Amino acid sequence: MFSKWKYLFYIHDSIYAIKKQIKNERRKQNLSEKNIKLVIAEKPSVAQSIAKVIGADKREDGYLEGNGYIVSWCVGHLVELASPEFYDEKYEKWRYEDLPILPSEWNYQIAEATRKQFGILKKLMEREDVTGLVEATDAGREGELIFRLVYDQAKCKKPFERLWISSMEDQAISDGFFHLKNGREYDDLYRAALCRERADWIVGMNATRLFLTDTNRRRTAVKPMAVFLFRQVFKKSLSREYNRSGRKVTYYIGCNFFMNSIDKKTWYVYN
């Protein structure tokens, strides 16, 4: 009789232990689901490589999810410096007298072609189950700028870590996630990227307008007109100008230069 009751108590304790173990496992699963990390890469191809390694295999619109991670991407520069006419409507018309254009405060705008992807990233950052981010853009100044501008434009305040790798091999990605760094350790790199970006804007926007408006002002007879293209930032400016004026870009002339002074009365440009 005693052995029978002992056997029943043993079964009861075993069932209780199994139920407790299942409950703990479910609690751990729910906890992991409520502590998801959002990984932001620079390009879709990079995001797919990372997602494969960390187990985010469920494909959604603009991101991949799974194993406690969401992996999405930026498609290059989602956020860019505002054009001159954003600061003042008078800059819509290119005039020599309005130069130089020197913003007292810098404004940014979301690139129209990638507005949808920015919206996806912003919603992912705002998800309650996303408790932190992993900055997985390219390891360098430009990659740092791309992530930070999206992070700031989305007004995200969640902590982020930095994935700093130079190879997209599976082992390199795995090692990189094992050695994630505090994202704030790269604040100086971000500041350097901002300085470079804004310097490009000042030189590009002003010098492009200077050469085009000054050429028109002096009625030079050079045809086709030689356009001095200094940096990549000129491309959009030139495109807008030539679409507006009907001129055709026939060739570009590259040259080294130093901008010694920007002043409304005197411009010093040395080749």
Side-chain angles (χ1 to χ4, degrees):
M1 188 72 178
F2 176 75
S3 60
K4 182 179 179 181
W5 283 107
K6 186 179 179 180
Y7 179 70
L8 289 173
F9 278 121
Y10 173 76
I11 294 176
H12 176 271
D13 290 344
S14 297
I15 293 173
Y16 177 78
I18 292 171
K19 284 183 176 179
K20 187 176 180 180
Q21 184 178 358
I22 293 172
K23 188 176 180 180
N24 288 335
E25 290 295 327
R26 285 177 177 174
R27 186 183 294 128
K28 286 181 182 178
Q29 185 178 359
N30 290 334
L31 187 63
S32 66
E33 287 175 355
K34 292 178 181 178
N35 290 275
I36 294 175
K37 282 190 175 181
L38 171 60
V39 182
I40 299 180
E42 192 165 322
K43 297 177 283 290
S45 58
V46 175
Q48 289 170 10
S49 298
I50 292 173
K52 183 183 71 172
V53 173
I54 63 178
D57 52 7
K58 184 181 178 183
R59 184 175 293 275
E60 302 288 351
D61 184 18
Y63 64 96
L64 299 105
E65 186 171 1
N67 197 31
Y69 289 98
I70 296 173
V71 185
S72 192
W73 50 86
C74 285
V75 200
H77 287 272
L78 295 184
V79 181
E80 58 189 12
L81 281 168
S83 54
E85 52 268 26
F86 180 88
Y87 297 96
D88 196 317
E89 291 182 359
K90 69 179 182 180
Y91 294 134
E92 289 184 3
K93 188 171 183 179
W94 292 23
R95 287 188 292 260
Y96 181 84
E97 295 74 19
D98 292 334
L99 300 176
I101 304 169
L102 302 171
S104 56
E105 292 184 8
W106 293 95
N107 293 295
Y108 287 85
Q109 60 191 18
I110 301 165
E112 192 60 39
T114 53
R115 186 174 294 275
K116 178 185 175 182
Q117 187 61 24
F118 175 83
I120 290 171
L121 286 175
K122 190 173 187 297
K123 287 180 180 178
L124 292 174
M125 290 180 191
E126 293 171 349
R127 273 175 51 165
E128 291 184 4
D129 56 351
V130 172
T131 57
L133 286 73
V134 176
E135 178 188 355
T137 47
D138 292 353
R141 189 176 61 184
E142 201 68 17
E144 193 69 27
L145 182 68
I146 288 172
F147 170 81
R148 296 290 190 102
L149 290 181
V150 171
Y151 181 85
D152 290 344
Q153 191 73 14
K155 295 180 171 57
C156 184
K157 302 296 181 185
K158 295 177 181 179
F160 64 92
E161 297 172 290
R162 186 60 158 109
L163 175 69
W164 191 272
I165 55 176
S166 54
S167 169
M168 291 310 298
E169 297 291 330
D170 289 359
Q171 188 60 50
I173 294 171
S174 181
D175 291 344
F177 270 87
F178 188 73
H179 297 96
L180 291 173
K181 298 181 181 294
N182 187 327
R184 292 301 176 187
E185 292 181 15
Y186 297 87
D187 283 353
D188 287 342
L189 183 64
Y190 172 49
R191 295 186 188 102
L194 282 178
C195 289
R196 192 277 311 159
E197 178 194 42
R198 292 171 183 181
D200 270 4
W201 192 98
I202 290 172
V203 174
M205 292 299 179
N206 284 286
T208 303
R209 293 186 180 216
L210 168 69
F211 278 100
L212 290 172
T213 57
D214 191 45
T215 299
N216 292 336
R217 188 172 61 90
R218 291 183 289 135
R219 301 283 189 239
T220 181
V222 178
K223 292 184 180 180
M225 184 169 66
V227 178
F228 295 85
L229 182 60
F230 292 107
R231 293 295 298 266
Q232 288 184 353
V233 73
F234 281 67
K235 291 181 180 178
K236 286 188 177 180
S237 301
L238 285 170
S239 176
R240 283 198 298 265
E241 165 62 12
Y242 280 99
N243 287 337
R244 182 183 64 80
S245 64
R247 295 193 185 94
K248 181 181 178 182
V249 180
T250 38
Y251 58 86
Y252 300 98
I253 297 177
C255 63
N256 295 324
F257 77 99
F258 298 93
M259 186 70 74
N260 189 28
S261 175
I262 297 180
D263 183 89
K264 285 194 174 182
K265 294 182 179 179
T266 311
W267 294 69
Y268 299 98
V269 182
Y270 298 97
N271 291 334

